[in-house]
Amino acid sequence: MSTTTTRRAAGSSPEQRKSPGRLTVLASVGGQNLSLIGALAVVLALFGVLNDNYLTLNNMQVIAEAATITGLLAVVQTVVIICGGLDISVGSQAGVASVVSAMAFTTTGANPYAGMAAAVGVGVLIGILNGVIIVYGRVNPTIATLAGLAAYKGLAQLISDGRAQGYVLNNDVFVFLGRGKIAGLPVMVWILILTAVAVHLLLKYTDIGRNIYAIGGNDTAARLAGININKYLIAVYALIGTVAAVAGILLTARTGSGQPTSGSEGLELKAITAAALGGCALRGGKGGIGGTLLAVALLGALENGLTVQGINSFWQNVAQGALLVIAVVIQQRRNGERPIGLPT
């Protein structure tokens, strides 16, 4: 080997000295996702040691079913964050859809399809309303959807008189959605998988997805490139409303009645936490569905583990808040952003 070759080898970076196989794995999975996989493995192993019933197939299905509604909302939260926005009202939207689906089911003579159609229709209208307020009202997405969080929660309580509405467990369609299985997996989980795959393909392999990343990365450059940002923002919020309605329908199917707040309260925090943990940059332009789903699994496994150990449920909120802060701190460090109030 020549002297020049020896010097090049000695002076190569750690990344260059990694084996091709390792580089391929890192590139395909991603460092963020590998960290989440590691954290998930630690949580599963820890609670598996503490409780013999934790790693049973039955409990894994319980975790999956419980995480489905959060997962659906986290998937669309990922899209809006990539686009440079945020939606804090997704939990309240799901609550409205849950109530509407049950009430429409009851008033149409126990027609499940009428109930679902009514819920989806309301979800689309709410999503479009959010988008219009943000785009044409020139309201910051955080403020607009924070207002929506309160308004839609109040709407769900008004139309339901603050009580659970209807009873759907005497209907085969709702029972199938809430408790049925296909190929051994709960139907709810299949709905999450299909939704996540569809959104992933949209983001990664279509011009629409590339434009969404472009808007979140640099909206000025996207506008100069001819992208109609207003149209995209309204469409993204309409998508959120649609999927939130599906989540509300599943909430009705799972609990047996329309729930104005119970079951939907706090979902917005879980969805945002999952998206942030999954690698979404809260300033937009970065993120993916795979990381979000891993974060949903991590949150579900942690929440279930705390429950089976009999730990006070209030600690679950503490854990979620801590994880959100940790996720944002990691993002700040990776992006090299200067902390507010500290010298460069």
Side-chain angles (χ1 to χ4, degrees), residues 68-74 76 90-91 93-95 97-98 101 119-120 188 191 195 240-255 263-264 267:
T68 296
I69 294 174
T70 300
L72 285 169
L73 298 180
V76 287
V90 288
Q93 291 181 51
S98 177
S101 66
V120 171
M188 294 177 63
I191 292 173
T195 302
I240 290 176
T242 303
V243 177
V246 174
I249 292 168
L250 293 181
L251 178 61
T252 299
R254 190 172 180 227
T255 60
S264 61
L267 288 176

Side-chain angles (χ1 to χ4, degrees), residues 8-284:
R8 284 177 181 169
S12 59
S13 68
E15 288 293 326
Q16 292 172 325
R17 289 196 295 269
K18 287 178 180 176
S19 66
R22 186 178 177 188
L23 287 173
T24 301
V25 171
L26 286 173
S28 60
V29 178
Q32 177 82 17
N33 291 351
L34 285 175
S35 299
L36 288 171
I37 292 171
L40 178 60
V42 169
V43 168
L44 292 174
L46 174 63
F47 288 114
V49 170
L50 294 175
N51 192 305
D52 292 337
N53 295 321
Y54 181 75
L55 291 178
T56 61
L57 179 60
N58 181 62
N59 193 54
M60 291 298 102
Q61 289 190 350
V62 169
I63 293 174
E65 289 179 1
T68 296
I69 294 174
T70 300
L72 285 169
L73 298 180
V75 164
V76 287
Q77 191 73 250
T78 297
V79 178
V80 75
I81 291 176
I82 290 173
C83 200
L86 191 68
D87 195 334
I88 306 176
S89 67
V90 288
S92 296
Q93 291 181 51
V96 172
S98 177
V99 170
V100 168
S101 66
M103 293 180 72
F105 167 78
T106 302
T107 57
T108 56
N111 186 331
Y113 304 107
M116 294 176 200
V120 171
V122 169
V124 172
L125 288 176
I126 288 176
I128 292 174
L129 177 61
N130 280 346
V132 168
I133 291 173
I134 291 166
V135 169
Y136 296 107
R138 299 182 183 276
V139 180
N140 181 281
T142 302
I143 301 300
T145 56
L146 182 61
L149 169 68
Y152 304 140
K153 178 180 178 180
L155 177 62
Q157 292 171 327
L158 280 171
I159 63 178
S160 66
D161 199 23
R163 299 191 299 266
Q165 293 292 314
Y167 180 75
V168 302
L169 292 184
N170 56 357
N171 180 267
D172 292 341
V173 175
F174 275 107
V175 170
F176 178 70
L177 288 175
R179 305 185 181 187
K181 292 183 180 180
I182 298 176
L185 276 180
V187 173
M188 294 177 63
V189 177
W190 279 114
I191 292 173
L192 172 58
I193 291 172
L194 292 175
T195 302
V197 169
V199 174
H200 172 75
L201 294 176
L202 175 74
L203 288 175
K204 294 297 183 181
Y205 300 106
T206 69
D207 289 337
I208 293 174
R210 285 185 281 272
N211 290 343
I212 287 174
Y213 277 101
I215 292 169
N218 189 325
D219 60 346
T220 301
R223 185 177 290 107
L224 293 175
I227 299 174
N228 189 329
I229 296 178
N230 291 349
K231 180 177 71 175
Y232 270 87
L233 283 173
I234 292 175
V236 164
Y237 280 98
L239 174 65
I240 290 176
T242 303
V243 177
V246 174
I249 292 168
L250 293 181
L251 178 61
T252 299
R254 190 172 180 227
T255 60
S257 58
Q259 302 292 331
T261 54
S262 177
S264 61
E265 199 158 18
L267 288 176
E268 54 283 326
L269 175 61
K270 291 181 181 179
I272 294 170
T273 301
L277 275 175
C280 281
L282 295 182
R283 57 196 172 99

